[in-house]
Amino acid sequence: MTRKKSLQGVLAATMGLALTLTACASNSGGNASPSADASVSPSAQSTASATASAADSPSPAAEGAAAKVKPVTFTQYVNYDWYTAPTWAERPHAKWITDNLGVTVEPVQSNGAAANKLNSMIVSKQLPDAIVLDRGKDVERLVNAGQLVALDPYLEQYPEFVATIGEQTLNMLRSSDGKLYQIPNWFISGDNGNGNAAYIVNKKIYKELGSPALETWDQLEAYLKLVKDKYKDVVPLDFGEIRDGESQMLGMLYSGAGDDRTPSLISAGSGAVFGIPSGDKLTSAYQDPAFESAALYASRLFREGLTSKDAFTQTRDQILEKLKNGKIAVFGAYDSVVEGIGREANNNLKAKDPEDGYEVIWPVHADGVDKNKVYPSGFNTLGWNVNVITKNAKDPEAIFSYMNWGVSQEGQQVFFFGPPGLFYDKVEDGVPIPNDAYINRDPKKYDELKIGEFNWYGNTSYVDGTKAKREQLLPQEAQDWTTIAQATVAFKTSKNITEFSNLDPVPNSEEGIIMQRLRDQYKQAIPKLIFAKSDDEVKKLIGEAQAEADKLGYQKVLDWKTARWQENLKQMGAK
């Protein structure tokens, strides 16, 4: 173990660090969320006039991907319970896209029931034109049903698409029939990883309680008890919303329960591993000592009233509201540092009091765990999720031409940094140069513009480097909270899990049917563990969960996943 530092020292280093590392917005722990750019807002001019100026600005490129975009209006469905799309026309970058490229996206909402919504659209054969969803079972289900458009015919006509994403990445996204149906989101073509999972702390509460060290679980628990005693209306420790029936609390804590752990290893969700590497095999998550350790700690925190009583029912909006009002002392989530959670909460509090807000800390861990092997995020060079175009689309090539532009440097400039003429007036060496509107921005009001929304084509490598270079052009007080949090902590605590890609069996296969039963069992087992009344009950419930999983055929799924994992390692050239 390295010498322990106080959180105060970590915070000071974070605030004073010159931004020399890359920064991006992408996935986490196998369970991620879309990301947008730094919080920016009104300038010397009003936001309205700046937006109007941007709409009048010319296209960023007369040639290249932008010149190939064909005007189209298409419907797009994002297959997540937690995601609600904002209006298209009210976003400055979206309006610019419509005005300059002739493209309009019409969101189809999940209304909090994504799986049911997708099922009903498939059964009724009323699919939207395009869908954003996790890689794996649902994509293959649509492929097998003959509902998706193969993209291979477009690759020769749009060679920049392959050049931007990389042939190896596209080959790993090919379906069992050898065809390519998927356009990745937040893919990585460079060597650096990314992630948004982190713990953040309320600065004002932390300072008032003496700024104690916060590195280990024991130190965290002692601090949470101080919060509980002094701040009756504050939740000592809270976590992100339930994702697809799974607990971010358990995933975040699991990452600190042993060396080289990341939430995807114990997740039964789509795209996750649900197996622990042991030599050349994947073994049961329930039998991992780190899983038991995390479950015991989570249950104790709940029994002691140190975390939210509504941990399994509260929505993302409810959590954000608590954060924005300073009612959470410590918060952990797979996307805690992005615009719609930590950054928005931090900027909201700082707008009222410059000394208030949230700061990121190094992820907490159990005693004996190497702090440099704690990974609450997991990144995949294939990206977070994918876009597919359905055969309901009247002009699939037009949609592809827009997505091809979206993954390009020009597309990412508009999506991530806003339209030209709003917060930058020129681009040098690929970097949008911040203008006075950006430098003098009001972070809270910038968040309300929701720049970055609808960017389901994230080019991580471009955004990482460009975002970091842009921030270096700014005075320290104007640098972005998210960028600093990512560069100092979140990116450094993200594990490369590309080798575990494509481990979802087809739903109607024997392994797929077993996996769905295991997934249903897991979603029922986890709340029982956390609500257990004693450590002995936690251990008993884990044993029962393992026994039931054995009966359901968990080993058969593990054998199947192991074989696919080993195939991936060979394809990636692992020795």
Side-chain angles (χ1 to χ4, degrees):
M1 292 290 290
T2 57
R3 185 174 63 85
K4 297 179 181 178
K5 301 177 182 178
S6 72
L7 176 59
Q8 190 173 25
V10 175
L11 296 185
T14 299
M15 291 300 294
L17 183 66
L19 192 60
T20 56
L21 302 175
T22 60
C24 105
S26 183
N27 65 9
S28 64
N31 298 285
S33 165
S35 296
D37 181 33
S39 294
V40 201
S41 192
S43 58
Q45 299 178 328
S46 69
T47 300
S49 63
T51 304
S53 164
D56 294 335
S57 297
S59 174
E63 299 178 354
K68 293 185 176 181
V69 177
K70 299 181 178 182
V72 65
T73 295
F74 68 94
T75 55
Q76 182 181 62
Y77 173 65
V78 179
N79 190 43
Y80 296 109
D81 292 343
W82 51 266
Y83 180 72
T84 300
T87 54
W88 172 265
E90 293 178 10
R91 310 281 73 80
H93 54 296
K95 184 179 186 303
W96 184 96
I97 289 170
T98 297
D99 291 345
N100 288 272
L101 302 179
V103 176
T104 299
V105 178
E106 297 178 345
V108 177
Q109 306 289 7
S110 71
N111 297 320
N116 292 337
K117 180 81 171 183
L118 182 61
N119 284 336
S120 66
M121 290 189 294
I122 292 174
V123 171
S124 65
K125 297 183 178 180
Q126 294 183 340
L127 288 166
D129 301 324
I131 305 174
V132 179
L133 71 173
D134 288 333
R135 298 185 306 273
K137 62 182 181 65
D138 284 328
V139 172
E140 295 308 312
R141 177 185 176 192
L142 289 164
V143 169
N144 294 337
Q147 295 299 307
L148 299 185
V149 174
L151 307 178
D152 301 83
Y154 307 136
L155 300 186
E156 185 174 347
Q157 186 176 348
Y158 299 86
E160 64 277 4
F161 181 77
V162 178
T164 298
I165 297 175
E167 190 168 354
Q168 183 182 50
T169 294
L170 292 177
N171 285 339
M172 288 191 72
L173 289 170
R174 291 185 178 277
S175 294
S176 56
D177 62 3
K179 296 180 181 179
L180 178 68
Y181 299 93
Q182 306 172 75
I183 295 175
N185 177 35
W186 295 118
F187 58 91
I188 301 173
S189 55
D191 296 327
N192 295 317
N194 59 58
N196 291 312
Y199 290 90
I200 59 177
V201 298
N202 182 298
K203 291 195 298 182
K204 180 173 283 190
I205 293 174
Y206 175 72
K207 184 176 181 180
E208 290 175 355
L209 290 177
S211 306
L214 280 186
E215 285 196 3
T216 69
W217 282 358
D218 287 345
Q219 290 170 343
L220 174 63
E221 190 171 355
Y223 177 71
L224 299 178
K225 289 177 179 178
L226 292 176
V227 173
K228 182 182 177 183
D229 289 342
K230 185 169 182 180
Y231 303 90
K232 303 302 182 183
D233 61 341
V234 171
V235 179
L237 174 64
D238 217 342
F239 292 89
E241 76 281 356
I242 297 298
R243 290 276 183 92
D244 299 323
E246 294 194 6
S247 166
Q248 293 191 53
M249 176 195 300
L250 185 61
M252 289 293 293
L253 293 176
Y254 174 75
S255 70
D259 290 353
D260 295 313
R261 299 307 200 274
T262 196
S264 183
L265 297 180
I266 62 165
S267 170
S270 177
V273 184
F274 198 46
I276 313 301
S278 179
D280 60 356
K281 298 183 184 300
L282 293 176
T283 58
S284 171
Y286 296 118
Q287 293 179 332
D288 183 5
F291 178 87
E292 178 181 288
S293 179
L296 287 167
Y297 187 63
S299 181
R300 185 166 78 247
L301 293 177
F302 190 84
R303 291 197 304 270
E304 293 177 347
L306 300 178
T307 189
S308 175
K309 295 179 181 178
D310 303 319
F312 284 85
T313 58
Q314 60 187 349
T315 66
R316 186 179 182 86
D317 287 343
Q318 289 171 328
I319 294 168
L320 177 57
E321 190 64 22
K322 287 192 288 185
L323 285 167
K324 288 168 66 174
N325 288 291
K327 298 303 182 182
I328 298 175
V330 182
F331 178 70
Y334 297 151
D335 58 354
S336 61
V337 300
V338 301
E339 74 286 351
I341 291 289
R343 190 181 78 192
E344 186 171 340
N346 174 73
N347 292 341
N348 189 75
L349 290 174
K350 285 183 70 68
K352 302 173 185 175
D353 180 354
E355 299 301 315
D356 207 348
Y358 285 91
E359 282 297 343
V360 66
I361 63 170
W362 201 263
V364 292
H365 53 82
D367 285 334
V369 173
D370 185 342
K371 64 173 289 185
N372 295 311
K373 294 183 178 181
V374 178
Y375 301 105
S377 281
F379 72 91
N380 189 320
T381 58
L382 303 187
W384 165 26
N385 47 22
V386 294
N387 301 263
V388 296
I389 302 172
T390 77
K391 289 187 176 179
N392 277 22
K394 294 180 180 179
D395 192 348
E397 183 180 345
I399 298 174
F400 178 85
S401 74
Y402 165 69
M403 294 181 178
N404 175 58
W405 171 81
V407 304
S408 73
Q409 175 175 310
E410 348 166 334
Q412 290 298 289
Q413 284 172 9
V414 173
F415 271 120
F416 200 85
F417 301 102
L422 182 55
F423 294 114
Y424 62 95
D425 302 306
K426 59 182 178 178
V427 177
E428 296 180 356
D429 297 326
V431 180
I433 305 302
N435 58 18
D436 289 342
Y438 186 80
I439 294 172
N440 299 318
R441 70 198 183 276
D442 176 329
K444 182 176 180 293
K445 291 184 178 179
Y446 175 84
D447 283 342
E448 295 169 359
L449 296 177
K450 296 187 181 297
I451 292 176
E453 284 284 1
F454 298 107
N455 185 12
W456 297 106
Y457 327 105
N459 180 338
T460 302
S461 298
Y462 167 73
V463 170
D464 276 3
T466 305
K467 185 177 176 182
K469 291 174 183 176
R470 183 191 64 172
E471 293 302 305
Q472 290 177 348
L473 301 174
L474 299 170
Q476 181 177 322
E477 63 272 12
Q479 291 180 356
D480 172 46
W481 183 90
T482 293
T483 302
I484 294 173
Q486 290 170 332
T488 55
V489 176
F491 288 177
K492 294 181 177 181
T493 56
S494 186
K495 185 176 180 62
N496 189 336
I497 56 173
T498 307
E499 65 191 77
F500 301 113
S501 302
N502 307 320
L503 296 193
D504 275 340
V506 176
N508 59 0
S509 66
E510 182 179 2
E511 291 84 2
I513 293 170
I514 294 172
M515 189 64 233
Q516 184 57 53
R517 291 170 179 166
L518 290 169
R519 189 172 290 120
D520 293 340
Q521 177 214 356
Y522 185 84
K523 291 176 182 178
Q524 296 176 6
I526 299 310
K528 293 179 182 178
L529 293 176
I530 293 177
F531 295 156
K533 294 181 171 56
S534 67
D535 287 355
D536 287 341
E537 185 179 353
V538 172
K539 295 177 182 179
K540 177 184 176 185
L541 288 169
I542 292 175
E544 292 175 353
Q546 177 63 53
E548 184 178 352
D550 286 340
K551 292 178 182 178
L552 291 174
Y554 190 10
Q555 188 57 52
K556 187 174 186 65
V557 168
L558 286 170
D559 292 342
W560 183 90
K561 285 176 175 281
T562 293
R564 294 299 300 269
W565 173 41
Q566 292 300 316
E567 289 175 11
N568 288 343
L569 290 174
K570 290 179 182 178
Q571 185 171 354
M572 295 171 67
K575 301 295 184 181

